[in-house]
Amino acid sequence: MRTPSRLHATEKSPAVTLSAPPSLAPRVRFAPSPTGYLHIGGVRTALFNWLFARHHGGKFILRVDDTDTQRNLADALAPILDGFRWLGIDWDEGAEVGGPHAPYYQSERLALYQAAVEKLLAGGFAYRDYARPEETQAERAEAEAAKRPYVASRRWAAESPADRARFEAEGRTSAVRLRMPREGVCRIDDIVRGTVESEWAAEADHVIQRADGTCLYHLASVVDDVEMGITHVIRAEEHLPNTPRQIFIFEGLGAPLPRFAHLPVVAEPGSRVKLSKRKLDKYLKNPEFAELYQHGRRIADRLRLEVSPETFNPVITDFYRIAGFLPEAILNYLLLLGWSLDDKTEMLALPEQIAHFSLERVGKSAASFDPKKLLSFQERYMQALSVDERLALVLPYLEQAGWIAAPASAADREKVRSIVAAAADRIKVSGDILDYDEFFVADEALVYDPKAFDKRIRSAAGAPELLAAMHDEIAALPADAAFDAAALEKLLTAFVAARGLGLGVIVHAVRVAVAGKPVGFGLFDILALLGRERVLARLARTLRVLEATPNPPEAS
RNA sequence: GGCGCGUUCGUCUAGGGGUCUAGGACACUGGCCUCUCACGCCGGUAACACGGGUUCGAAUCCCGUACGCGCUACCA
């Protein structure tokens, strides 16, 4: 039995999307723990929150979940905030920007949590539990052995001051636990998963405050959501089983319930298991993931960055910033991990993403991270940029590698601009400019690819003689002769035609002689970019190198 | 173990009872272009987890099974 689609849409999307007064504009949040890195799955969750807020003219709040941190907060938070800023995901309230519900750091909101604990206690929604850990453990083990859900016996629940005194006289300490209902059904009307039901009786009495007085995540999260007026809790599916106890806290606090939307998790490449930063070794066994990693690694090495897989790997946002990915490409890819507009549209610029985003179109099943597809978005976004835009992206890499002086001189800019133009689609991420060292090294420092040198020059019949003749022909050119790609094409074509040869015979040898490698731009572009003097110098050097080692050892 | 969620090409997905001999994209692959590489263009392989229902008709609705994932902490 199906409801008409119009009605169905209304039933799934709350009134807030249609006729909500401004004061009811949605308020959503993302609450990272300051771990020192920004996980790509976290970015996807944050993106969906952000898009939802922007689409509906609501607020996106960035709250810091630091109840549990001992480490230096500033150091651990900076990479996360910087990551969001780099991606262009901004927040209306929260860390560093403040707002009407400040402070946005949980570690500074302890008094609120304490008040909530007392309110829950007073209302009978929670109790002080004096059980010792081993006693709780034993009950749990018993339940498991009996194959039923673990439910606390509440034998050590203090119902009166007298109970407390008695337990404390036994040397016991207490944590505060939720007094979960023992009957009925908890119904969650989830925007992405529909109605999810579970038995209240299957819920354990979760601890909300430890014996040492500190509070736990579920309590803090709900208290903050209430206080900050969060209307929609949009988070990863792993939190779905936690939702009943949170609903119970909302109710105990007498607060209205937000809408819930549980997003499918972002999974490992080729799997359904949640993507985790700790399993890099495993992911590197996936060829496509390894290729992405090596690509970034190559760039980091040329930049002489000290990177470790702990902080530099494709699960972490910083990886992409360092390699020179475009934020728009990453966001576009991430958007499609669990969301789609229709049966064709894939490329959506940010304004379109905002215009079209809706929670109703979020999928239900885990989506595995596909490095190749991410790269393909990156390529398409890069292709859409003008040469000058690419030049601006690439210059900092050359400066940081020390290949040009910083800040770039006008001459350097012009030179690099020509290289970028000739490179065309070969530069997929900004750091790829560092593949073209042949245009930046001194002629005498050019490194030859050994295999290419042997195949195209040393072992190629007639190649040395042709290179020598080529050198002489260029040297004999009038000083004012054009040395651009068109002129060079004419010259080379005539050169081989005069000898009754094809272009292929000379092209490969010359390429290796002047660029050191068998792949790259069109040869005429390479020669023009290098200029006459450097081409001559490199041809001459190649011939000298050949002469110095006329009979190389047999390749094994 | 218990509870919850999920299952369409290798991957991301479209799909809301007939228009599905299941569409798109990435990957893979054949070809074209070509001085290499990359780009681009044309083509191809490839999926409704399984079993029962309901119905004239099921990828689509219902039930079961299998498999996967998540939760089951005085973690978040």
Side-chain angles (χ1 to χ4, degrees):
Chain A
M1 172 204 61
R2 273 278 149 197
T3 47
S5 65
R6 198 163 45 82
L7 201 140
H8 190 249
T10 326
E11 153 194 309
K12 265 196 160 181
S13 60
V16 72
T17 56
L18 301 173
S19 55
S23 62
L24 289 185
R27 292 173 57 81
V28 298
R29 45 68 168 181
F30 182 70
S33 291
T35 51
Y37 62 92
L38 181 53
H39 190 283
I40 202 79
V43 173
R44 205 278 310 253
T45 300
L47 174 66
F48 281 30
N49 273 281
W50 184 82
L51 252 14
F52 182 75
R54 292 291 170 266
H55 178 87
H56 293 289
K59 300 288 188 204
F60 175 62
I61 295 153
L62 194 118
R63 179 209 295 162
V64 180
D65 197 335
D66 62 345
T67 47
D68 193 45
T69 23
Q70 256 82 56
R71 72 201 105 200
N72 184 320
L73 179 64
D75 286 354
L77 188 58
I80 294 170
L81 267 25
D82 289 347
F84 281 128
R85 279 189 277 254
W86 175 68
L87 288 163
I89 294 180
D90 56 349
W91 53 102
D92 306 296
E93 298 172 25
E96 294 188 2
V97 308
H101 298 273
Y104 290 89
Y105 298 85
Q106 291 193 328
S107 59
E108 295 173 20
R109 301 172 63 83
L110 271 20
L112 251 26
Y113 309 144
Q114 186 57 45
V117 168
E118 275 152 27
K119 186 169 180 183
L120 292 170
L121 241 17
F125 296 98
Y127 62 90
R128 289 186 189 281
D129 179 27
Y130 280 88
R132 297 194 160 98
E134 56 275 18
E135 289 163 344
T136 305
Q137 195 49 48
E139 285 191 352
R140 206 189 309 277
E142 196 183 317
E144 184 152 336
K147 299 182 183 182
R148 53 174 164 74
Y150 163 64
V151 176
S153 70
R154 295 178 187 164
R155 281 171 55 198
W156 297 279
E159 305 293 354
S160 65
D163 288 343
R164 296 186 62 174
R166 178 164 51 86
F167 287 132
E168 279 165 22
E170 292 173 20
R172 294 170 179 272
T173 55
S174 68
V176 178
R177 300 190 100 104
L178 256 12
R179 190 192 304 275
M180 298 299 284
R182 293 274 160 101
E183 57 182 21
V185 169
C186 177
R187 264 188 91 217
I188 303 167
D189 183 18
D190 192 280
I191 299 173
V192 347
R193 325 207 83 88
T195 302
V196 178
E197 296 186 341
S198 57
E199 296 287 331
W200 277 120
E203 287 289 321
D205 288 352
H206 292 277
V207 170
I208 53 174
Q209 185 174 41
R210 300 181 182 94
D212 67 5
T214 57
C215 290
L216 278 90
Y217 162 77
H218 295 293
L219 193 262
S221 174
V222 171
V223 170
D224 288 342
D225 286 347
V226 170
E227 197 277 336
M228 293 179 183
I230 300 303
T231 59
H232 298 256
V233 172
I234 304 168
R235 66 204 341 179
E237 191 198 354
E238 63 205 80
H239 290 285
L240 184 56
N242 300 331
T243 306
R245 80 189 74 151
Q246 295 192 350
I247 287 177
F248 182 74
I249 299 175
F250 274 106
E251 288 174 348
L253 258 18
L257 240 41
R259 293 296 313 267
F260 289 96
H262 286 93
L263 273 19
V265 298
V266 176
E268 301 172 352
S271 145
R272 300 276 181 196
V273 182
K274 193 179 108 179
L275 193 64
S276 142
K277 151 192 127 121
R278 300 202 193 285
K279 298 197 220 155
L280 182 70
D281 285 347
K282 176 180 171 192
Y283 304 159
L284 288 178
K285 291 187 182 123
N286 173 298
E288 296 172 354
F289 190 94
E291 199 179 313
L292 212 212
Y293 173 71
Q294 293 305 340
H295 190 167
R297 190 62 209 247
R298 198 163 67 236
I299 291 166
D301 288 347
R302 294 210 165 111
L303 254 17
R304 288 191 219 89
L305 289 178
E306 296 276 334
V307 296
S308 80
E310 281 302 298
T311 53
F312 183 77
N313 84 59
V315 173
I316 298 172
T317 309
D318 233 26
F319 175 90
Y320 302 97
R321 185 179 57 73
I322 291 171
F325 279 72
L326 295 162
E328 304 79 33
I330 294 171
L331 262 18
N332 197 155
Y333 172 70
L334 255 19
L335 172 66
L336 264 22
L337 228 39
W339 183 89
S340 64
L341 176 60
D342 54 30
D343 59 342
K344 319 204 133 64
T345 314
E346 288 215 317
M347 297 289 281
L348 292 108
L350 224 36
E352 296 170 313
Q353 295 187 23
I354 292 171
H356 294 297
F357 185 78
S358 78
L359 254 13
E360 285 71 31
R361 290 202 60 84
V362 173
K364 289 179 169 63
S365 52
S368 72
F369 177 78
D370 183 345
K372 281 273 214 260
K373 188 142 187 174
L374 204 206
L375 226 208
S376 131
F377 274 95
Q378 168 64 22
E379 287 179 34
R380 283 183 267 173
Y381 272 85
M382 202 59 142
Q383 285 171 358
L385 298 183
S386 69
V387 171
D388 284 309
E389 287 167 320
R390 285 186 238 183
L391 172 64
L393 290 171
V394 132
L395 245 18
Y397 283 84
L398 295 169
E399 292 170 0
Q400 198 177 331
W403 292 5
I404 62 173
S409 66
D412 278 341
R413 291 180 67 93
E414 202 36 57
K415 171 183 168 180
V416 176
R417 190 181 191 285
S418 306
I419 294 170
V420 169
D425 295 333
R426 276 169 274 243
I427 295 179
K428 302 186 193 305
V429 299
S430 304
D432 284 343
I433 189 67
L434 301 177
D435 282 339
Y436 303 103
D437 57 322
E438 61 265 35
F439 299 109
F440 299 92
V441 297
D443 299 330
E444 292 303 315
L446 185 70
V447 175
Y448 301 104
D449 177 302
K451 274 170 77 176
F453 190 89
D454 188 65
K455 178 178 177 196
R456 296 302 191 181
I457 297 179
R458 202 190 309 277
S459 309
E465 294 74 20
L466 283 170
L467 287 178
M470 186 83 247
H471 175 275
D472 294 345
E473 184 138 340
I474 291 173
L477 247 29
D480 61 346
F483 205 77
D484 55 30
L488 285 159
E489 177 161 12
K490 252 187 216 158
L491 180 96
L492 281 250
T493 308
F495 179 87
V496 292
R499 288 163 176 75
L501 302 168
L503 209 44
V505 177
I506 182 104
V507 159
H508 301 294
V510 175
R511 178 194 307 282
V512 174
V514 302
K517 51 185 77 154
V519 299
F521 307 169
L523 179 64
F524 310 125
D525 282 330
I526 296 178
L527 296 173
L529 249 14
L530 250 16
R532 179 176 159 168
E533 294 314 313
R534 303 191 74 186
V535 167
L536 284 173
R538 289 182 182 198
L539 287 172
R541 176 171 179 248
T542 299
L543 293 169
R544 268 187 278 119
V545 169
L546 249 188
E547 243 170 78
T549 54
N551 295 307
E554 287 296 315
S556 52

